[in-house]
Amino acid sequence: MKSSRVLAVPAVALAAGLGSAVIATPAQAAQLAQACTRPTVAYHACLTVESTSVFNEYKITAGLDSFMSQQYAGEVVAGGAFTANLYADDPGGSDRLIASIPLAWVGAGAEGLGQEHAIWMSCRYLNEDTDGKDELYAHISWFDPHNGQWTTRQTGIVSYEFACR
């Protein structure tokens, strides 16, 4: 995720052995929108939209920092089950699943568990409203092998016009 996250992303990514993949970003990419939850004692989650070098394509990134001990986080990483799903935020609770977002990296660090999911998507899939602004959010989950349960956190809601040009 971006610098607004509490965990030091490069440190966590380096711990996972993926530092160069996280730090390297195309020169053409520019952040267009980001929505984060308020950091709590348990987690911080963000959804970020970036431009890409491909016309009408966007990079969608969903990231989650879950605060716990490094040992506990390492055991969760060893369990290896992480998911993220992108949703359209629609009135009346009829939110529609747009896509599953593949895992880009996961790591355990001094602050806890960090995971980031990323996907490139066409405006055709992201343009989910006819009123101009589209509202999107993600559910980011990890499986806890200690209690056999999934933990799911929601990002903030991004509002951006994804009209195809």
Side-chain angles (χ1 to χ4, degrees):
M1 288 183 36
K2 299 296 178 194
S3 59
S4 63
R5 289 184 43 196
V6 179
L7 262 180
V9 171
V12 172
L14 288 172
L18 301 172
S20 61
V22 174
I23 296 169
T25 355
Q28 301 88 352
Q31 182 175 309
L32 301 174
Q34 183 178 58
C36 299
T37 61
R38 294 186 97 154
T40 70
V41 297
Y43 73 98
H44 187 218
C46 293
L47 182 66
T48 304
V49 176
E50 293 175 280
S51 64
T52 68
S53 58
V54 178
F55 188 65
N56 283 331
E57 293 270 331
Y58 299 88
K59 180 182 179 189
I60 308 297
T61 305
L64 173 65
D65 294 325
S66 299
F67 306 119
M68 60 189 72
S69 76
Q70 185 170 358
Q71 178 181 343
Y72 199 99
E75 293 165 356
V76 170
V77 169
F82 306 91
T83 65
N85 291 309
L86 184 66
Y87 290 91
D89 183 41
D90 291 322
S94 60
D95 296 354
R96 180 176 51 85
L97 175 66
I98 294 176
S100 292
I101 309 171
L103 181 65
W105 63 264
V106 63
E111 304 254 347
L113 174 69
Q115 68 185 82
E116 191 165 279
H117 302 257
I119 190 170
W120 279 40
M121 295 191 73
S122 166
C123 59
R124 292 185 324 220
Y125 301 105
L126 300 172
N127 185 14
E128 53 89 29
D129 280 332
T130 56
D131 66 357
K133 290 285 185 180
D134 302 293
E135 297 82 18
L136 307 173
Y137 66 91
H139 281 171
I140 307 170
S141 305
W142 52 274
F143 183 76
D144 189 337
H146 300 97
N147 61 21
Q149 296 181 358
W150 284 89
T151 297
T152 300
R153 306 293 189 201
Q154 182 175 315
T155 66
I157 298 172
V158 164
S159 181
Y160 188 79
E161 186 174 343
F162 291 103
C164 296
R165 313 260 185 248

